[in-house]
Amino acid sequence: MIFEGGGQGPMAPDPSLNNHHKGDHMERVLLSHGAGGREMVALIERVFLAKYRAPGFTGDDSAILNFGSQALAFTTDSFVVDPIFFPGGDIGRLAVAGTVNDLLTAGARPLALSASFIIEEGFKIATLTAIAASMRQAADEGRVAIVTGDTKVVPKGAADKLFITTAGLGAILKPGVSGAAAVAGDKIILTGSVGDHGTAVMLARENLLQGEAIISDVAPLTELVLALLEAGCEIHAMRDPTRGGIAAALNEIARQSQVSLEIDEARIPVKPGVTAACEALGLEVFQVANEGKMLIFVAPEDAARALDLVKANPYGREARLIGEVKASPPGRVQVRTTIGTARILDMPSGELLPRIC
Amino acid sequence: MIFEGGGQGPMAPDPSLNNHHKGDHMERVLLSHGAGGREMVALIERVFLAKYRAPGFTGDDSAILNFGSQALAFTTDSFVVDPIFFPGGDIGRLAVAGTVNDLLTAGARPLALSASFIIEEGFKIATLTAIAASMRQAADEGRVAIVTGDTKVVPKGAADKLFITTAGLGAILKPGVSGAAAVAGDKIILTGSVGDHGTAVMLARENLLQGEAIISDVAPLTELVLALLEAGCEIHAMRDPTRGGIAAALNEIARQSQVSLEIDEARIPVKPGVTAACEALGLEVFQVANEGKMLIFVAPEDAARALDLVKANPYGREARLIGEVKASPPGRVQVRTTIGTARILDMPSGELLPRIC
C-alpha cells in the first residue's frame, strides 16, 4: 500500500500514540510504529496521509500511475534487517524480492528497480560485493533489471552496517488487481508455509541453533504470479504477507475490500521447526513475516486452475486453498480452528519483530 | 548517473581502495567512498557495475527506460544529512529537491516520487510531521506528487535520527539530454552562486554562527528547467552540482562527452560569506555541494535565449554563462583564473564533506 502498513479506510485515533501521556510535541516514535501492525498504520495515517492523498493513492503496496495508454505500478521499501546475512538469504536478496513482490501484487510485470545504499564507514568491501552479487542474482530470477542507484557512506556509529532501499516500476498486466477488489465468493490461495522468514532471522539474530535448520523463504515470485496473469486467471487481489504476517495481510484486505474472510487454520502450512521455534521465542506464527509467499484472491470458477498453476512453480509446491471471502461482517477475519471452534484473527499490535526486513 | 557518483568511462584502478595494504577481503568502506569524488566512482565501478551494465544504463543521474512509445527517467537517492534541519531547509525538502533535480537533468518532467523513511526509535513525532509537511511543500513546488512510501523504525543507536530515500519517475520531454551529449561550441550556463548548501550545513553542524547568514540553496528546479524544454531550447546536457560540487559535475560531463571544458573563474558567482566560511573551514568552494543549482550545456545559437529564460525564474536570477565546450583535449576541465592564468580543475578526491546530503 502507499506508505506501507496502511492508511486505508477511516480509523479511530490510536491511544498508543499518546505514549506516557506526554504533550503532543513530546511524543516519540516507538519500535512498534515500524512493526507492520496497528500502531504503524496509525502513525502513517497521522503523519504522512493526513490531509494528503496524492493521485495514484491506492491503499495497496504499489501506487498506480496512468501514463499514456498504459498503467504503471510504482513502489518502494527500505530494508534494515539484522543480521544482514541469515539462513536462506541476505539483505540484498530481500531488498530485491520485497519490491518485486510488491509490484506483482498490483498485477504488474516488474520492469526496473532502483537500489540505494546507506553504508556505515568501515563496512567490508568484500561483503558489499557479495551483497551486490546476491541482488543481481535475485533480480535475474525476478526477471527485472537494477537500472539506477546511489551510495551514501555515514561515519561509524551513525548507521548499523548497511541499509538498502529499493524502488520498483512495473507495467500493469491486469488492471484492477487490488486489496480493495476482493469480493464475496473469492477463494484464497496461500502459496506455501508461513513464518519461515521471521523465524529464521530471529534465530540467526539470537545465535540460536536449531536441530532442524529453518531457512528464510525470501524469493521474488515473478514467474509464479506472471503464470497466473498470463493464463488469464480471474485474480482480484494479491498481497505478500511480510511485516505482521498473514494476520496483517488478511486484515488489510478485509478492511480495504469491506468483506469478511473465513480461514481454515488446518489448511495453513507451518513447518514443524517453525512452530517449535515460535513457541520458544514467544511468537504468534500468523504474525511472523514471510518474504516469498503470496495470498491470492481468485474468482471461484478459476480457483482450481489457479491453484494448479501455482503448484507447478517451485515456490508454490505447498500451495493450498485456505479459505474464502464472505460478504459480511465487513473487515472481519475469522479462523476456524483445528478443534472446530471459530476465533477472530486480529490486526497485530505491539512491537512484533524489529529489523525483520 | 546510474549508481550516482559515476562509473562512466574507462578508469585506472584507484590505489586508495587498497587501504593500508590489507588483503582484499579486509578492505573497508571509507567516508571518502561516499563523498562524490574519485574514490566513490572507483568503489561503484568495482562493486556495482563490474560485469553488470543493465539496460537503461546511461552514466547519468537518471536511467532511461523505453516504455511503449514514451521514454521514462528513473532515479533514486538516499539522504543522510546532519543536521536534519539547517538554514534554508531540512532533510525532507532536500530529499524531494535532489530527486526532482536528477529527473530534470534527463530532460524529463517529474511525474511521481516515492519516499522511504528509516527512523531511529525515540524520534519525535512532531519533528517527523514537520518534515513530512516540508516534503509536501517541496513536492508541490516541484510539481510532482509523492505517491508511495515506506517506514522502518530501528532501535535507538542503529541509525542516527532519520534517513530518507526518494526515487523518482519522469516523462522524457527532450530525448537525448545527457552528460554524454555535450559538443564543442556549447555554452555553459550556471544558474546561480555555488557552495551555499554545503557551507550552510557545515556551519550548522559545527554550531558556528556567522555575522552574515548563509542559507542552503535547496530547491526543486522544475519550473526553471521545464521553461527551457518547453521553449524548445537546444539543451544538450544538464547536471545538478551536488556532492563534489561543480568540480565533480564538470569533470563528469567532460569525461562522459569526451570534450574539454573552459571555465571563466571570474564569472562563477560565490557569495562573500560563503567564500569567507570556506576559507575558515578549509573547503574548496568549487567542490562544495549545491542543491538548487543547475549546469546547463546549450547550443550556442540558443545560449542568449536560454540565459534569459533562466534569469526570469526566481532560482536563476544570478545565472551566468561561465564557459564553453571545446573539442580537445577530451576529459579536461580548465579554469581561466581571475589573474589570467589557466589551471586544471580536477575531479575531487578525499573525504570532502560527510553527510552533506
Side-chain angles (χ1 to χ4, degrees):
Chain A
M1 65 222 67
I2 188 171
F3 285 104
E4 208 150 305
Q8 61 277 22
M11 190 163 298
D14 188 319
S16 75
L17 282 174
N18 296 308
N19 34 16
H20 309 305
H21 303 286
K22 289 173 184 165
D24 188 73
H25 66 289
M26 287 301 290
E27 287 178 86
R28 292 179 185 275
V29 174
L30 308 176
L31 280 176
S32 58
H33 288 129
R38 198 181 293 279
E39 296 85 352
M40 189 170 91
V41 173
L43 176 72
I44 288 168
E45 175 73 20
R46 179 169 146 192
V47 172
F48 296 112
L49 299 178
K51 294 175 278 177
Y52 187 74
R53 287 281 189 287
F57 177 83
T58 60
D60 285 323
D61 284 341
S62 292
I64 306 299
L65 303 167
N66 289 306
F67 187 66
S69 58
Q70 173 68 59
L72 289 168
F74 185 35
T75 190
T76 190
D77 263 321
S78 287
F79 296 87
V80 298
V81 66
D82 172 38
I84 55 176
F85 289 88
F86 46 82
D90 59 78
I91 189 172
R93 180 171 176 83
L94 185 62
V96 169
T99 289
V100 163
N101 292 344
D102 279 351
L103 291 173
L104 294 168
T105 62
R109 177 194 301 282
L111 294 174
L113 297 186
S114 66
S116 196
F117 298 79
I118 297 171
I119 309 167
E120 184 183 18
E121 178 190 15
F123 194 81
K124 278 188 191 168
I125 290 176
T127 309
L128 193 62
T129 305
I131 289 166
S134 172
M135 293 182 79
R136 281 172 216 164
Q137 190 179 32
D140 287 346
E141 187 186 342
R143 296 208 226 154
V144 69
I146 302 170
V147 298
T148 188
D150 183 43
T151 54
K152 292 288 189 303
V153 181
V154 297
K156 206 158 181 61
D160 185 16
K161 298 186 281 292
L162 175 66
F163 303 143
I164 302 178
T165 301
T166 44
L169 201 60
I172 300 287
L173 293 182
K174 180 170 167 52
V177 176
S178 164
V183 294
D186 282 354
K187 302 294 185 187
I188 306 170
I189 296 172
L190 171 64
T191 60
S193 61
V194 300
D196 300 11
H197 174 76
T199 310
V201 170
M202 285 303 289
L203 291 173
R205 192 188 306 170
E206 307 296 334
N207 272 315
L208 296 171
L209 295 174
Q210 290 278 315
E212 180 183 1
I214 295 176
I215 308 290
S216 167
D217 58 345
V218 56
L221 298 175
T222 308
E223 298 197 354
L224 184 152
V225 171
L226 290 188
L228 294 175
L229 297 174
E230 286 165 357
C233 289
E234 191 53 29
I235 308 295
H236 292 153
M238 287 185 274
R239 185 135 303 165
D240 52 331
T242 56
R243 275 183 291 181
I246 59 169
L250 291 169
N251 272 283
E252 287 165 11
I253 289 181
R255 289 182 195 187
Q256 278 183 271
S257 295
Q258 287 293 293
V259 294
S260 183
L261 306 185
E262 295 201 353
I263 306 296
D264 187 349
E265 186 166 27
R267 300 194 61 78
I268 298 177
V270 185
K271 291 183 176 133
V274 170
T275 302
C278 284
E279 279 169 12
L281 293 165
L283 304 176
E284 162 56 68
V285 70
F286 290 175
Q287 297 183 358
V288 174
N290 312 279
E291 294 290 347
K293 295 298 176 334
M294 195 66 81
L295 287 160
I296 301 165
F297 291 66
V298 57
E301 65 273 17
D302 274 354
R305 186 164 69 106
L307 183 62
D308 284 346
L309 283 167
V310 169
K311 288 168 81 86
N313 183 282
Y315 294 124
R317 280 197 205 105
E318 295 171 49
R320 302 270 191 91
L321 288 174
I322 63 160
E324 61 186 358
V325 180
K326 304 283 188 187
S328 68
R332 189 180 80 174
V333 181
Q334 183 170 271
V335 173
R336 288 187 299 270
T337 67
T338 49
I339 55 169
T341 59
R343 66 177 174 99
I344 301 301
L345 184 64
D346 269 330
M347 188 73 176
S349 68
E351 285 204 8
L352 304 175
L353 304 177
R355 298 190 67 185
I356 214 69
C357 61
Chain B
M1 66 222 68
I2 190 169
F3 286 104
E4 208 149 306
Q8 61 277 19
M11 191 164 298
D14 188 318
S16 75
L17 283 174
N18 297 310
N19 33 15
H20 310 306
H21 302 285
K22 289 173 184 165
D24 188 72
H25 65 290
M26 287 300 291
E27 288 178 85
R28 292 181 185 273
V29 175
L30 308 177
L31 281 176
S32 58
H33 288 129
R38 196 181 294 278
E39 295 85 351
M40 188 170 91
V41 172
L43 176 71
I44 288 167
E45 174 72 22
R46 177 170 147 191
V47 172
F48 296 111
L49 299 178
K51 293 176 277 175
Y52 187 73
R53 287 281 188 287
F57 178 83
T58 61
D60 286 322
D61 284 342
S62 293
I64 307 299
L65 303 167
N66 289 306
F67 187 66
S69 58
Q70 174 67 59
L72 290 168
F74 185 35
T75 188
T76 191
D77 263 320
S78 287
F79 296 87
V80 298
V81 65
D82 174 36
I84 55 176
F85 290 87
F86 46 82
D90 59 77
I91 189 172
R93 181 171 175 82
L94 185 61
V96 170
T99 289
V100 163
N101 292 343
D102 279 351
L103 291 173
L104 294 169
T105 62
R109 178 196 301 281
L111 294 175
L113 297 186
S114 66
S116 197
F117 297 79
I118 297 171
I119 309 168
E120 185 183 16
E121 178 190 15
F123 194 81
K124 280 188 190 167
I125 289 177
T127 308
L128 193 61
T129 304
I131 289 167
S134 172
M135 294 182 78
R136 282 170 212 163
Q137 190 180 32
D140 287 345
E141 187 187 342
R143 295 207 225 157
V144 69
I146 302 170
V147 298
T148 189
D150 182 42
T151 54
K152 292 289 188 304
V153 181
V154 297
K156 207 159 180 58
D160 186 15
K161 298 187 279 293
L162 176 67
F163 303 142
I164 303 177
T165 301
T166 44
L169 201 60
I172 301 286
L173 293 182
K174 181 170 166 51
V177 176
S178 163
V183 294
D186 282 353
K187 302 295 184 186
I188 307 169
I189 296 171
L190 173 63
T191 60
S193 61
V194 300
D196 300 12
H197 174 75
T199 310
V201 170
M202 284 304 288
L203 291 173
R205 190 188 305 169
E206 306 297 333
N207 272 315
L208 296 172
L209 295 174
Q210 289 278 315
E212 181 184 1
I214 295 175
I215 309 290
S216 166
D217 58 344
V218 56
L221 299 176
T222 308
E223 299 199 352
L224 185 152
V225 171
L226 291 189
L228 294 174
L229 297 174
E230 287 165 358
C233 287
E234 192 52 30
I235 308 294
H236 292 154
M238 288 186 274
R239 184 135 305 163
D240 54 331
T242 56
R243 275 183 291 181
I246 60 169
L250 291 169
N251 271 284
E252 286 166 12
I253 289 181
R255 289 183 196 187
Q256 278 184 272
S257 295
Q258 288 291 293
V259 294
S260 183
L261 306 184
E262 296 202 353
I263 306 296
D264 187 348
E265 186 166 27
R267 302 194 59 79
I268 298 177
V270 186
K271 291 183 177 134
V274 171
T275 303
C278 283
E279 278 170 12
L281 293 164
L283 304 176
E284 163 56 66
V285 70
F286 291 175
Q287 297 184 357
V288 174
N290 312 278
E291 294 290 346
K293 296 298 178 330
M294 195 65 81
L295 287 160
I296 301 165
F297 291 66
V298 55
E301 63 275 17
D302 273 353
R305 185 164 70 106
L307 183 61
D308 285 346
L309 283 167
V310 170
K311 288 168 81 84
N313 183 281
Y315 293 124
R317 280 198 203 104
E318 294 171 49
R320 302 270 192 90
L321 288 173
I322 63 160
E324 61 186 359
V325 180
K326 304 284 188 185
S328 69
R332 189 180 79 172
V333 182
Q334 183 170 272
V335 173
R336 288 187 298 271
T337 68
T338 49
I339 55 167
T341 59
R343 67 178 174 97
I344 301 301
L345 183 65
D346 269 331
M347 189 74 175
S349 68
E351 285 204 9
L352 303 173
L353 304 177
R355 299 190 66 185
I356 214 69
C357 60

